[in-house]
């Protein structure tokens, strides 16, 4: 009986292998070829959108080619200071998540299984990543283009094409088994994101067509330089931030609180969506691959190990299988919490940078910082997946420790032995902690001087009873060596545990202070924060906004219509001035331009005499001056100008 069980299990595995090799289905659509040939329509759509994109600057090449400011550079997505269409861009990245995830497993996907020598593998990965970026480039370009009708039409057709092909690839040649069900669930998030993009492009197309009837709404407004939430931040900065409500519910107080003065940029939304979808795919692949790995390990164990230990081997393998399976869920839950905590850390760090209270310091040069910010989204996904894998191993080891140290001995009737060993361990820990507590209490009540001021919170760091302190230090020196040996082991285990636990959190450095630059994940986080801070600083943006506003108003003042109105006002003012001076010649001497303080005294007296004569005649007779008087007044004006 002990030999028949493993033999039958081995035959069952062999039959499954033969059956799986016999059931071969040829699909009508090869996804690897579809991914490769999708570059052609992607390039065509990009060229069309570039043609309708106007260039802002004049280039020397346009002198030789009649481009007339066409073929501008298409911007797929603004990762720096964009706050509009965030969830649409997140859905576009979600549509790419399945293919991006398969980049990590090219042997499993066969999408990018190019034949290349070992030294060219890195180049193959680079070309595969660029190919995926080009395949999904139209999704982003159609969302960000200024020509809404063309962009939404092309994006709608391209999204429908990808959705239909992926849907046909999922349900073709599939049998409803446990493994096939897991594989069917893998591309579901990408399909949902494609469906969202189809609805979004259709909404943009219909909205743009309806807006053609209203000319005032046909031109879409560009994203403002100073967004609305940063305007709220400036108001709070000038008037004071609102007080925190202590009576709010626990959910708002501990998890998330809405802040009208802050808004997550597009880059963070895209990163969070990609991390969630890639983690979902990794979780499903883990559930799919783990049973196969256990079956392979079981097959290898039955061949290599003596059949007399077959039952024990199968039992141990079942324990490993169950431990690995149940360790999957806390690892996935912890990784999801890390993603949500990432958003919270970003908001806290950016607020501290805005206020100038952040302790972030970076000694790198600007090119290094900018390059680090470019790598952020991809690095965050990779670190999250590796963190999930290490967390899975960590929980797996914890479950094995609980199983083999507690559950198995209790099942075998050795519970008292385990309890005795646990008691000895706890007793040693209690003695160690008790010695440390005694040292602290002795330092507090025996070896520290009294408070200088009774209102002080603690005693000053000044030693009292020096002789007793020296004896106390001497006798505990030898025990501290033993205590330090155990503390060193605890430090090593805590470093391994916390390093594995916090690997996915790149907002914290794993290395000690002074060596943060060696942590590439932390460097990308700091680079991203600094780039976002320098381009979204509310005070700097408000200053630039005021400068642009003054520049636009000055241009409006210097427009042709405004200049024509100004000339009319100047002519009217000069005519009133001439009329006033003719009727009141005495005012000529009071004018700033005709001040004769620098003239000689005889000339000044002559001018005053003639002006008084003209003023008296004009007031008394109320008639037009004669020719001689006109000549005299002309000479007076000429002398005044001199």
């Amino acid at each position: 009986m002990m030999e028949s069980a493993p033999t039958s299990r081995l035959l069952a595995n062999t039959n499954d292998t033969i059956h799986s090799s016999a059931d071969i289905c040829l699909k009508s659509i090869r996804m690897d070829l579809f991914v490769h040939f999708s570059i052609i329509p992607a390039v065509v759509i990009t060229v069309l959108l570039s043609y309708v994109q106007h260039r802002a600057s004049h280039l020397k090449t346009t002198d030789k080619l009649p481009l007339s400011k066409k073929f501008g550079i298409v911007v797929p997505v603004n990762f720096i200071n964009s706050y509009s269409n965030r969830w649409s861009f997140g859905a576009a990245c979600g549509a790419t998540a399945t293919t991006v995830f398969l980049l990590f497993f090219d042997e499993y996907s066969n999408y990018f299984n190019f034949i290349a020598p070992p030294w060219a593998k890195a180049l193959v990965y680079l070309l595969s990543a660029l190919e995926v970026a080009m395949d999904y480039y139209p999704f982003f370009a159609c969302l960000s283009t200024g020509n809404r009708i063309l962009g939404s039409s092309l994006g709608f057709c391209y999204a429908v094409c990808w959705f239909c092909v992926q849907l046909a690839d999922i349900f073709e040649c599939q049998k409803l088994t446990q493994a096939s069900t897991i594989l069917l669930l893998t591309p579901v998030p990408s399909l949902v994101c494609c469906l969202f993009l189809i609805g979004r492009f259709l909404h943009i197309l219909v909205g743009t067509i309806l807006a053609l009837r209203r000319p005032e709404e046909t031109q879409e407004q560009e994203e403002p330089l100073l967004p609305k939430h940063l305007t709220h931040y400036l108001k709070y900065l000038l008037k004071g931030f609102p007080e925190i409500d202590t009576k709010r519910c626990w959910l708002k107080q501990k998890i998330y609180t809405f802040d009208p003065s802050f808004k997550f940029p597009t880059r963070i939304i895209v990163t969070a969506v990609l991390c969630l979808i890639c983690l979902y795919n990794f979780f499903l692949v883990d559930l799919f691959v783990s049973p196969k790995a256990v079956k392979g390990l079981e097959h290898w164990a039955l061949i290599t190990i003596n059949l007399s230990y077959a039952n024990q081997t199968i039992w141990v393998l079942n324990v490993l299988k169950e431990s690995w399976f149940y360790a999957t869920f806390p690892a996935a839950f912890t990784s999801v919490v890390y993603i949500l905590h990432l958003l919270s850390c970003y908001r806290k760090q950016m607020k501290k940078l805005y206020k100038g209270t952040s302790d972030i310091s970076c000694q790198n040069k600007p090119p290094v910082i900018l390059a680090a910010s470019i790598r952020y989204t991809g690095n965050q996904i990779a670190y999250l997946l590796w963190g999930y894998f290490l967390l899975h191993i960590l929980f797996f080891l914890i479950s094995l420790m609980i199983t083999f140290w507690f559950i198995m001995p209790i099942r075998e009737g050795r519970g008292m032995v385990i309890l005795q060993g646990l008691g000895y361990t706890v007793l040693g820990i209690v003695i160690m902690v008790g010695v440390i507590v005694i040292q602290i209490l002795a330092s507090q009540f025996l070896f520290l001087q009294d408070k200088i001021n009774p209102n002080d919170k603690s005693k000053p760091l000044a030693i009292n009873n020096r002789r007793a302190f020296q004896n106390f230090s001497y006798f505990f020196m030898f025990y501290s060596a033993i205590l330090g040996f155990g503390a060193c082991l605890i430090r090593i285990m805590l470093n391994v545990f916390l390093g594995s636990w916090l690997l996915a959190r790149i907002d914290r450095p794993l290395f000690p202070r002074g060596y943060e630059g060696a942590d590439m994940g932390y460097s990308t986080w700091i680079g991203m924060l600094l780039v976002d801070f320098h381009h979204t600083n509310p005070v700097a943006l408000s200053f630039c906004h005021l400068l642009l506003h003054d520049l636009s108003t000055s241009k409006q003042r210097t427009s042709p219509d405004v200049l024509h109105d100004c000339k009319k006002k100047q002519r009217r003012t000069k005519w009133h001035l001439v009329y006033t001076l003719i009727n009141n010649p005495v005012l000529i001497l009071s004018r700033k331009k005709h001040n004769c303080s620098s003239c000689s005294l005889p000339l000044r007296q002559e001018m005053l005499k003639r002006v008084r004569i003209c003023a008296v005649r004009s007031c008394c007779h109320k008639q037009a001056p004669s020719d001689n008087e006109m000549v005299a007044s002309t000479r007076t004006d000429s002398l005044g100008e001199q």
Side-chain angles (χ1 to χ4, degrees), residues 462-530:
I463 299 175
N464 193 13
N465 300 324
R466 288 178 176 269
R467 293 185 179 183
F469 174 75
Q470 301 296 343
N471 283 277
F472 192 85
S473 300
Y474 172 77
F475 283 105
F476 275 97
M477 177 180 63
F478 302 100
Y479 180 76
S480 298
I482 303 174
L483 183 64
F485 183 78
C488 182
L489 292 178
I490 294 175
R491 182 184 183 187
I492 293 173
M493 290 188 292
L494 285 178
N495 281 333
V496 173
F497 179 78
L498 291 177
S500 303
W501 187 275
L502 301 176
L503 179 66
R505 289 191 56 182
I506 63 176
D507 59 297
R508 290 179 176 270
L510 293 180
F511 300 147
R513 183 174 297 178
Y515 297 92
E516 297 94 340
D519 191 349
M520 294 186 63
Y522 183 70
S523 299
T524 56
W525 171 263
I526 295 299
M528 181 269 299
L529 284 180
L530 292 178

Side-chain angles (χ1 to χ4, degrees), residues 585-586 588-590 596 600-616 636 639:
V586 182
I588 296 175
L589 299 177
S590 301
C596 297
S600 60
L601 182 60
L603 184 59
R604 193 186 309 168
Q605 293 178 354
E606 182 69 20
M607 288 175 60
L608 289 172
K609 182 178 179 181
R610 294 187 179 183
V611 167
R612 288 170 182 170
I613 292 173
C614 292
V616 170
T636 304
L639 290 174

Side-chain angles (χ1 to χ4, degrees), residues 2-13:
M2 293 179 66
E3 293 180 1
S4 62
T7 306
S8 61
R9 191 179 294 273
L10 178 61
L11 291 175
N13 293 334

